[in-house]
Amino acid sequence: MKWYLHACRNFVNFNGRAGRTEYWLFALFNAFFASIAIVLDISLKTSFTRYGESLSVGWIYTIYSLLVLLPSLSVTLRRLHDTGRNGWNFLIPLVSAAAFYLCLVEATKKAFWHETKAAGGWATGGLVLLCLGMILFTVLLLLKGDDGPNRFGERSAATANAHEHAADALIVLLVLGEACSRITGYLWSIAGNKLSKLANTNFSSYRKLQE
């Protein structure tokens, strides 16, 4: 929790360096609070709707995401600095996401004209590009920071700490935990949409029988 608050207090600090412990502990608590925001949106019925169906995210999650936008960006840039890389590497996931979106648009066009194989190829290609970009960026964030000072300054307190090496196994667990939480949230969203459709279908069938 200390490093989560540290990142929030330094939300406008885009200089300097951040060690792996500092970054991944922030990421863990950020994922935890984001999950709570999603649960609150569902419980309080503040979720957004699309085509009459309720989504898993809503106003509470959106407000929380906006509040941690700058802290997330600053600590990520400082983590890249810790490995001697500049902030332009942050474009890797953004470019891969843009490529995925463009491929998805093209796949939708192909599907509209009933070109099933072409649509599947575009969708698969976009997904591969998205995954490659995300994996590459995650690897950069997992790399050990430079020993001693680099062009971005001295090592941070967390990196210089002798317990940094002993925390490597914990960091891996944190990464896996965050990945599992995101996958669970995605599956929860899909399951919720499926159940909503099933409930609507059953209700419509019931109404027809009543009529």
Side-chain angles (χ1 to χ4, degrees), residues 130 157 198:
L130 178 65
L198 182 61

Side-chain angles (χ1 to χ4, degrees), residues 9 22 34 58 78 127 129 141 155 161 167 176 186 195 210:
R9 287 193 296 266
E22 180 178 351
R78 286 186 277 115
L127 187 60
L129 290 175
L141 296 176
R155 302 178 73 189
N161 194 315
L176 293 176
Y186 178 70
L195 290 174
Q210 291 296 318

Side-chain angles (χ1 to χ4, degrees), residues 21-22 46 51 60 62-63 75 88 95-96 106 129 136 147 149 163-164 179 182 197 201 210:
T21 301
E22 180 178 351
T46 56
Y51 305 120
I60 298 176
T62 301
I63 293 172
V75 75
W88 289 108
V95 171
S96 63
E106 192 64 29
L129 290 175
L136 175 59
D147 294 325
H163 297 290
E164 175 81 4
R182 293 183 182 275
K197 289 181 180 179
T201 302
Q210 291 296 318

